Amino acid sequence: MSAAPANPVVLGSWFARDLAELAVTWQAEPPPDPKLLILNAPLAADLGLDPDWLRSPDGVGLLTGTVLLDGAAPVAQGYAGHQFGGFVPRLGDGRALLLGELTDTAGRVRDLHLKGSGRTPFARGGDGLAAVGPMLREYLISEAMHALGVPTTRALAVVATGRPVHRDTALPGAVLARVAASHLRVGSFQYAATGGDPALLRRLADHAIARHAPAAAEADNPYLALFEATVDVQAALIAQWMLVGFIHGVMNTDNMTISGETIDYGPCAFMDGYHPGTVFSSIDVGGRYAYGNQPGVAMWNLARFAETLLPLFAEDTEEAIGIATAALEGFRTRYEAAWTAGMRAKLGLPAEAGDEETGPLIEDLLTQLSQSQVDFTSFFRALADAARGDREPARGLFLDLAAFDAWLVRWLALNPDAVAMDRVNPIYIPRNHLVEQALAAATDGDLEPFERLLAAVTDPYVERAGLERYAEPAPDSFGPYQTFCGT
Ligand code: AMP
Ligand code: MG
């Protein structure tokens, strides 16, 4: 390990110092032949990191964990988690490292984190590695989510390691450098709670308050205020997922952040044809994490979070349960409000239109979208055309034309605002067939399709000539789509 010269940024070790019981000091496995595949230069600049320096050998060393910034003390974080409903008391970063925290140019504290940096004490049977395809997948989809205004971890860079990774076949290996408000998860609290040390749990909660809910420190019951803050941000987050048709695919409690950022882009995908039962993940055979189940699962996960906090809510357990239950109920209201506001915006509805009218209108629309399995993303852009006088693009998406025509009449009577609709309804999302094409090419060494797709989806609302194929649903030949966790 050498120190990084010529870069003024200093990394903190706030988590590692505050929560040593949840952190194992660890080092990255040096990659044999590192090559920078992609760098997020605007994000680097926001972090106060010089993009040109990051492209240098020392910079690539930082991005793979072999060159440490001043103050850096990399750790693998421990956490527990309910995976598909079953509790696993010891998970943790099996192939990831928290390099430390830095303060970005806006004054916000960010975690700098590596994924695919080698085995750690939490690796269990895993090899600690990651392949180029899945790391570029996280880069692409998390940056698309950011461009859609959805809170998310960000991707700073992907570096090919030059080390093969053995999955079904040998694949080129890679390390992803990502940035997050923190990597505190519901599973972090479950891990601390399982240890039976109330002081550790309190320290973790205090750390979370300092980072994500500073106002909670002033509340009568700071830990309840922390829980309520997480309920709020998660309700808002899941509503945003639903409004863009995002399916996370593996909403285990270790993949739910306290900050309210989307984390862990494994088997996630965007829904094409609208249906609440949509599932892409090959291992989600029961549809636990289907599109329409996401709000309910989030609430279930938050109930697990509340369970860990009960001793901090009140000394008397019955009283603590009462407090937790009431706070958890807030999720429904917050989610409904965020989703309804978002759906009204997608439909360009004016503020004067009352919920008594728009509620049933939205319900009826979803029924029709589901019956005809209408492409969720194209629909709202086609609908804006209908508001401008051209109904045919939208009509062409439905099987029951009479029902849709009747719906259109009701909707048009409300004077929807087509320009406002185009500002909130993306035209370009990471469509599954394009993602797969781009990743297959990148795995074979051709990054151009990936870069073009990235450029399309990171500017998702403005229609551009030449990008027509990025706006189109998959051809029928693409067939049923499956995504995978084992990345
Ligand atoms: P994930 O599905 O990415 O949330 O991972 C679940 C758990 O498995 C986490 O503890 C990961 O660190 C661990 N894990 C996933 N893939 C690997 C791997 N290739 N090597 C070691 N640990 C892994
Ligand atoms: Mg995870």
Side-chain angles (χ1 to χ4, degrees):
M1 300 282 152
S2 55
N7 196 299
V9 171
V10 172
L11 277 188
S13 49
W14 190 8
F15 177 89
R17 273 183 295 112
D18 256 17
L19 297 155
E21 297 90 337
L22 308 181
V24 179
T25 301
W26 204 254
Q27 289 175 5
E29 244 169 68
D33 185 19
K35 277 199 182 68
L36 184 63
L37 294 183
I38 185 148
L39 175 71
N40 192 338
L43 176 62
D46 287 349
L47 296 170
L49 293 162
D50 176 1
D52 289 332
W53 179 79
L54 282 173
R55 290 188 188 98
S56 74
D58 275 337
V60 172
L62 167 69
L63 296 170
T64 51
T66 55
V67 170
L68 298 182
L69 292 180
D70 280 350
V75 294
Q77 295 177 297
Y79 49 82
H82 277 90
Q83 299 193 310
F84 286 90
F87 186 62
V88 185
R90 190 181 147 97
L91 287 166
D93 293 332
R95 54 165 173 174
L97 285 181
L98 173 65
L99 293 179
E101 305 92 13
L102 53 78
T103 304
D104 70 12
T105 52
R108 303 177 308 169
V109 175
R110 307 271 101 182
D111 274 4
L112 188 54
H113 181 95
L114 303 180
K115 188 163 168 180
S117 50
R119 283 178 57 84
T120 79
F122 300 105
R124 300 175 291 160
D127 58 9
L129 304 175
V132 162
M135 294 307 98
L136 287 176
R137 193 167 198 282
E138 170 154 345
Y139 190 113
L140 178 78
I141 301 188
S142 62
E143 288 306 302
M145 291 286 270
H146 175 72
L148 291 166
V150 184
T152 177
T153 63
R154 302 283 310 273
L156 178 60
V158 175
V159 179
T161 58
R163 184 191 288 115
V165 176
H166 299 281
R167 298 293 180 255
D168 286 343
T169 54
L171 296 168
V175 173
L176 168 78
R178 82 176 171 202
V179 175
S182 87
H183 284 77
L184 301 179
R185 310 142 187 270
V186 169
S188 313
F189 282 80
Q190 293 181 297
Y191 190 73
T194 310
D197 175 358
L200 171 62
L201 186 72
R202 188 178 293 267
R203 233 184 313 127
L204 175 58
D206 288 337
H207 184 91
I209 288 172
R211 291 184 74 159
H212 303 306
E218 312 302 326
D220 286 345
N221 188 334
Y223 305 109
L224 174 61
L226 167 66
F227 179 64
E228 288 170 339
T230 301
V231 167
D232 271 6
V233 290
Q234 282 292 342
L237 176 68
I238 308 297
Q240 282 190 277
W241 289 3
M242 300 302 282
L243 291 164
V244 296
F246 176 76
I247 304 172
H248 183 283
V250 59
M251 288 178 71
N252 295 333
T253 57
D254 52 298
N255 289 337
M256 180 184 253
T257 58
I258 305 306
S259 66
E261 286 181 346
T262 311
I263 195 171
D264 265 2
Y265 292 84
C268 62
F270 281 79
M271 177 171 64
D272 30 30
Y274 179 83
H275 195 282
T278 308
V279 174
F280 293 114
S281 168
S282 58
I283 60 166
D284 192 2
V285 283
R288 180 183 173 89
Y289 301 138
Y291 171 74
N293 288 351
Q294 295 185 124
V297 171
M299 240 182 123
W300 190 90
N301 288 347
L302 289 165
R304 307 288 79 74
F305 181 32
E307 278 166 6
T308 70
L309 295 173
L310 288 179
L312 301 179
F313 285 166
E315 263 173 48
D316 177 67
T317 305
E318 287 308 309
E319 189 190 336
I321 291 174
I323 290 171
T325 309
L328 187 59
E329 272 307 311
F331 182 92
R332 264 185 244 281
T333 332
R334 182 80 166 84
Y335 172 80
E336 281 301 327
W339 185 84
T340 304
M343 196 46 96
R344 289 177 61 113
K346 286 177 84 66
L347 292 173
L349 296 176
E352 309 83 75
D355 284 340
E356 327 70 55
E357 198 170 0
T358 60
L361 189 76
I362 292 171
E363 283 298 304
D364 293 349
L365 174 65
L366 293 180
T367 305
Q368 293 193 32
L369 289 175
S370 173
Q371 274 163 0
S372 297
Q373 306 254 322
V374 174
D375 185 82
F376 189 64
T377 303
S378 320
F379 169 72
F380 290 97
R381 297 292 291 214
L383 194 62
D385 289 339
R388 283 185 276 258
D390 181 7
R391 302 182 187 195
E392 288 318 309
R395 292 181 83 236
L397 299 169
F398 288 84
L399 301 173
D400 185 348
L401 268 186
F404 182 63
D405 282 338
W407 185 89
L408 268 181
V409 170
R410 285 160 68 202
W411 175 70
L412 287 166
L414 297 171
N415 278 322
D417 180 342
V419 174
M421 289 173 74
D422 284 347
R423 277 200 297 264
V424 296
N425 293 313
I427 181 162
Y428 310 115
I429 55 158
R431 291 191 173 271
N432 301 322
H433 64 297
L434 299 175
V435 173
E436 292 308 313
Q437 279 168 15
L439 299 183
T443 300
D444 289 340
D446 176 11
L447 275 160
E448 219 186 286
F450 176 85
E451 283 161 0
R452 282 202 304 263
L453 179 57
L454 181 69
V457 301
T458 51
D459 187 2
Y461 300 109
V462 181
E463 188 166 7
R464 274 106 76 205
L467 296 189
E468 291 74 15
R469 72 186 202 93
Y470 294 93
E472 279 162 21
D476 287 342
S477 59
F478 185 59
Y481 185 53
Q482 269 208 326
T483 56
F484 300 92
C485 276
T487 54

